[in-house]
Amino acid sequence: MESNRTSSGGLDEPGRVVHGGDGHVHLRVVDRSPPEGAARRPWDWARWLVVALGGMSVASFVGSFLLPWWRFWLYAPQYPKGLMLVISLTGMGGDVHEIDLLNHYIGMKHLADAAPNERMLAGYGVAAIGVLTLAGMALAGKKLNKWVAIPAVAFPVVFLSDSFYWLYSFGHDLDPKAPLRIGAFTPELFGNGQIGQFATFAQPAAGFWVALAGVALAVAANVVRSRVCTHCAHASECSLVCPRAMVLPDKARSAS
Amino acid sequence: MRAHTIVTATLLATGITAAIVVGCENKAVQQQQQASGNLGASTSVADLMKSRGLSEADVEAALKTYVPTGKMDEYYIFASGGQSGNVDVIGVPSMRMLKVIGVFTPESWQGWGFGGDSDKILEGGNQGAHKIRWADMHHPNLSETKGEYDGQYLFVNDKANARVAVVDLADFATKQIVPNPLAASDHGGAFVTPDTDYVIETSQYPSPLGREYAPITEYKEKYRGVAIFWKFDRQKGRIDPSKSWALELPPYTQDLADAGKLDSDGWAFINSFNTEMAVGGTLDGKPPVESGASQNDMDYLHVINWKKAEALVNAGKTKTIAGMRVLTMDVAGPEGVLTLVGEPKSPHGCDVTPDGKQVIVGGKLDTHTTIYDIAKMKALIEQKKFDGKDAYGLPILPFKESIAGQVEIGLGPLHTVFDDKGNAYTSVFIESVVAKWSYKDYKKPVEKLKVHYNIGHILSAEGDTVSPDGKYVVAMNKMSMDRFLPVGPLYPQNFQLIDVDGEKMRYLADMPLPNAEPHYSQMIKADKIKAVKAYKPGTNALGEIDPAKVEGGKERIVRNGNKVEVFMTAIRSHFTPDRIEVEEGDEVTIHISSLETAEDQTHGFTIDMYNVNVSLEPGKHENISFKADMPGSYPMYCTEFCSALHLEMMGYFLVKPKKK
């Protein structure tokens, strides 16, 4: 620490090994400022924005995998605190046992029987979206770029459609020998509903919102990336990956 | 521009969804507001008072005790259920009965003693050759930590059969009954030391230790009193008899007891009457005990240094009687462990003040309470300044040098409880009043409030801890005469709630006790009790996960010779299996687990005609064993109205007759 202070006087020699007054080698300083007289390129900041947006997008999808996606509440006089069902990508939590128990009176299947394949594949799905999103950033300027972003954008929509399918399916495939026959129905996926004496309320949870944010971030990363390329003199030289545009300093590129 | 558009669109989409969600929540809030209602008073309070003949004091009392639906009481009372052998749990200030906890006596709602695992706990309390299924419960005591109630356990004694029980306040269920091997009756119990190291149980009517026979003519030589120091293992939540010990006492009739606290921690005090050692003999023309025992002007307060006694016990200075280590009087007297001091006349009540500096004794046949100064007594014992010895060689302290003073209370002072302002409240039996006086300034006038009628014990909010709350006092009246609707010649007892928050005591409410005569009670702040709402799946009556617990899908019937084991589950609204067929004479065990997890979803299980009924709270497991000795077709069903299809929650237990 002390020697750092001694050597700080030598920072005017960029990219050089600095020798402190005590004869020890201390720091290797890399100067990232544009060379004297060179015009600062208008899109420099964007390179880092692309990396940040892409990284946050992938982190969002991983986070959403760990968070609950949807919540259902059921209220009835004898459940003053209500019952809650929490749906995540790989399973469900909350009062599953009690809700199953109540459902058996109307002949509904066990909640554990819902969407078994989807829950099994969800992990791979999120992993694939992460990989494709990163690939999308790498494929900037290529037509393929647009296509690899589709899974990320579609994911929340697929989740919603699939959830609706299972709600419909559970509400329409009731055991005809059940003690209570209430007729086919589809539980509400959004907002207020009513099933027998139960007032229901459903809404997305943190995981869904985080995934949606992940979509927005992925799209934003791609848009910014495309614009970086448009302004880059070497865009035509880029093959699949353009590391220069992403992380290397201006010095590594020649001025246009 | 393109990036800008997309960011804006995303923000917009999020905003719209959020608005939908918020909108839905608002609707839910509105519904709740509608449900809570907006009732306008249709009759004016003045009209109501007039039509019901209520005074302003009545209305004030009503407002102080009314607990509207959805709100809860501030305190719990744990009252001894007297002859019912069970504990009454009451809410304060509403004075509503919340529960009766089955302890010594079978209680059929809780399935306490009707074929399930609770039978084993009741069996553990058998004394001698008889199956004992009743009790005369006297003194409940809450477990303490540093002299404060901790809300974990309740200890109760059975005077008639000399037993102590442990009730776990996590599930409000009895976990253990411990029979006293030495005494034939008890009274001074179950009092705890300030950290619940010991639960003290003192005999009442003397008898030969170990309950041997000895002719009554040898009363002075062979009959003895005894104080048991039951060691409580808080980790296990059980009394450990193997680590417990006893102190032999002279055959004076020991009465109530209290443990010292703060300055007097390590000491215990027991009062006594009948130091005359009268044994009656009315047929032979001798006076009955009531007059024989009331001749002396002074009886003896027993002053016990239990910390020192414990050290002597650990040093092996004991004699083993009926399997228990007993510190005898010939050791305890000279060692300064057991000392006597006079107390006027035929006393009752023996209560250590919250600061632990004094013991207050009420003289039943005297008009005073006597306040003993513990520090003075300790010093006298230290200096061996005695007034002589009793017939058993026990040193007697000089009375006048032992007391701090006496206060003229009235006719028949009994028990004393305390508030947070230095006041003492003494129950005065013959006068039927509660007397309020200052145990810090004896010259303050005594205030009296009439109660209805013949007050026995008295209790106050956290009244025997190191920091009483004041607020409420309850007069526990033995008679109710003209207070309630007539219900035949056996009258309810009467608990009267008294407000002691103000300058003067104010009467608040009556509560009839319909099930027996409670003795002592204790009142604890409600938030100290952490009651569980459901059991961990498979928990049995002993509080353990039962090795035979049954999981859903693993129900089965296993036959092994003439032993049939049924592994059964209960869940709304069916038992699995719902048909059991056995042969006459089979030994049947039904292991039954409730698969319920939700709050307040209890099932019961009975087999008709077999005297079997268990309560299956959520997660509870029961093991029911019996001999299928009556051939026939017996319904079995759920005895707790559990659901709309509760009546359908049934099955058959079939016993095929033996072939002849």
Side-chain angles (χ1 to χ4, degrees), chain B residues 77 95 457-459 472-476 495-498 523:
Chain B
I77 289 178
M95 301 307 277
H457 270 280
I458 183 168
L459 70 124
Y472 300 113
V473 158
V474 177
M476 303 169 68
F495 275 15
Q496 284 185 306
L497 182 67
I498 298 162
M523 197 194 300

Side-chain angles (χ1 to χ4, degrees), chain B residues 58-355:
Chain B
D58 292 338
V59 173
E60 195 186 326
L63 290 177
K64 281 185 171 171
T65 55
Y66 179 63
V67 178
T69 187
K71 300 229 165 139
M72 293 193 198
D73 279 310
E74 199 182 342
Y75 287 91
Y76 286 95
I77 289 178
F78 290 90
S80 89
Q83 303 89 336
S84 81
N86 293 330
V87 167
D88 296 339
V89 186
I90 299 157
V92 176
S94 73
M95 301 307 277
R96 294 177 300 196
M97 186 85 101
L98 298 170
K99 193 169 200 175
V100 173
I101 306 172
V103 182
F104 294 114
T105 307
E107 201 288 322
S108 46
W109 170 48
Q110 289 150 65
W112 187 252
F114 292 95
D117 293 321
S118 55
D119 282 23
K120 293 171 200 156
I121 297 168
L122 286 162
E123 291 293 321
N126 284 347
Q127 284 274 36
H130 291 275
K131 202 175 200 174
I132 295 176
R133 290 295 179 271
W134 96 283
D136 184 14
M137 187 188 286
H138 273 245
H139 308 112
N141 241 240
L142 291 155
S143 59
E144 292 179 13
T145 301
K146 295 195 165 81
E148 298 278 8
Y149 296 155
D150 54 39
Q152 292 182 0
Y153 296 95
L154 181 75
F155 307 94
V156 287
N157 75 314
D158 165 17
K159 168 168 165 169
N161 308 293
R163 300 179 295 169
V164 167
V166 181
V167 178
D168 191 334
L169 296 180
D171 62 348
F172 282 54
T174 306
K175 290 290 171 337
Q176 186 186 24
I177 302 176
V178 184
N180 180 331
L182 298 169
S185 73
D186 70 29
H187 193 250
F191 294 98
V192 301
T193 53
D195 276 312
T196 324
D197 298 312
Y198 288 105
V199 179
I200 306 170
E201 180 200 12
T202 308
S203 63
Q204 177 123 68
Y205 305 119
S207 51
L209 296 188
R211 299 193 294 269
E212 304 278 326
Y213 168 78
I216 199 76
T217 48
E218 295 174 18
Y219 183 85
K220 289 178 188 173
E221 298 79 28
K222 299 270 176 75
Y223 285 57
R224 289 292 177 267
V226 69
I228 311 273
F229 288 75
W230 292 110
K231 181 80 190 162
F232 183 61
D233 183 337
R234 196 187 280 264
Q235 216 74 44
K236 291 190 182 137
R238 301 286 189 277
I239 283 169
D240 185 347
S242 71
K243 291 194 177 128
S244 306
W245 48 274
L247 176 62
E248 182 194 27
L249 301 174
Y252 310 141
T253 303
Q254 281 78 22
D255 194 31
L256 280 150
D258 203 356
K261 56 188 104 172
L262 302 173
D263 287 355
S264 55
D265 187 13
W267 293 76
F269 308 90
I270 308 169
N271 64 16
S272 68
F273 59 92
N274 196 13
T275 45
E276 299 86 345
M277 294 185 275
V279 291
T282 42
L283 265 191
D284 304 330
K286 289 177 184 156
V289 174
E290 67 165 321
S291 72
S294 309
Q295 298 307 304
N296 293 352
D297 285 335
M298 294 286 234
D299 290 290
Y300 291 127
L301 176 70
H302 299 41
V303 180
I304 295 165
N305 184 343
W306 67 257
K307 280 258 166 83
K308 195 165 183 191
E310 185 186 48
L312 291 172
V313 168
N314 289 337
K317 306 239 162 120
T318 53
K319 188 174 149 188
T320 301
I321 306 172
M324 182 160 254
R325 292 173 297 168
V326 182
L327 193 62
T328 52
M329 288 189 284
D330 53 350
V331 180
E335 288 280 0
V337 160
L338 177 57
T339 311
L340 306 174
V341 58
E343 51 182 358
K345 171 175 188 177
S346 299
H348 201 50
C350 170
D351 300 289
V352 176
T353 52
D355 55 17

